[in-house]
Amino acid sequence: MLLNLLLVIEVIVAFFLVVVVLLQRSEGGGLVSGGTNSLVSVRGAGDLLTRITWILGSIFFILGLLLTIVSGRERGAASVVDRMKVNAVNPAELNRAPPEPPAGTAQPGPAGSAPAPLQAPTPTLNNPFGTPETGAAAPAQK
């Protein structure tokens, strides 16, 4: 519940932060057009928008840190090793040979034999001048 509330507030603050940054006046002009008839002067509007940007930026980063802390605490303080119960494994059982199957059960493949390993073909070098060579070094050209 708290995580969802912080996330919604974070999105709202991010939206207002984007709007305030877009409203600021840049060197080539901006979305804020300050004329002589405006209630707030251009300099005063710039100072106000700068202050609002700093405040919203600070709130954004603080909310980001809070979201990280709250989401970490909701997952629990246990490490992955604690959750998997690795310490409960007996090391002597890891090195033990697999148990023999009962007599009369069918084994895959020939009885008691492992599958034959695959053989890679002999590498050959293709000579661009016609005859294939098997591993011979090409003569050096001058």
Side-chain angles (χ1 to χ4, degrees):
M1 176 71 181
L2 179 62
L3 187 64
N4 290 335
L5 179 67
L6 287 175
L7 190 59
V8 168
I9 295 172
E10 178 86 0
V11 170
I12 292 170
V13 168
F15 174 75
F16 283 119
L17 184 61
V18 169
V19 169
V20 169
V21 167
L22 288 176
L23 286 176
Q24 288 183 5
R25 186 172 189 206
S26 63
E27 299 213 7
L31 295 178
V32 174
S33 59
T36 56
N37 298 347
S38 60
L39 296 173
V40 180
S41 68
V42 174
R43 181 177 174 95
D47 290 340
L48 177 66
L49 290 176
T50 303
R51 185 172 297 143
I52 291 173
T53 303
W54 276 101
I55 292 170
L56 288 175
S58 301
I59 292 171
F60 180 81
F61 286 116
I62 290 170
L63 283 173
L65 289 173
L66 284 174
L67 278 168
T68 303
I69 292 169
V70 169
S71 66
R73 292 195 188 261
E74 281 188 4
R75 287 190 195 131
S79 68
V80 174
V81 175
D82 293 338
R83 284 187 268 163
M84 291 180 60
K85 300 178 183 166
V86 173
N87 294 333
V89 175
N90 185 2
E93 291 181 11
L94 294 176
N95 296 327
R96 189 176 65 188
E100 292 294 323
T105 59
Q107 293 289 324
S113 68
L118 297 175
Q119 290 287 15
T122 305
T124 58
L125 298 175
N126 291 329
N127 187 351
F129 299 109
T131 61
E133 300 176 8
T134 58
Q141 295 180 356
K142 292 184 179 180

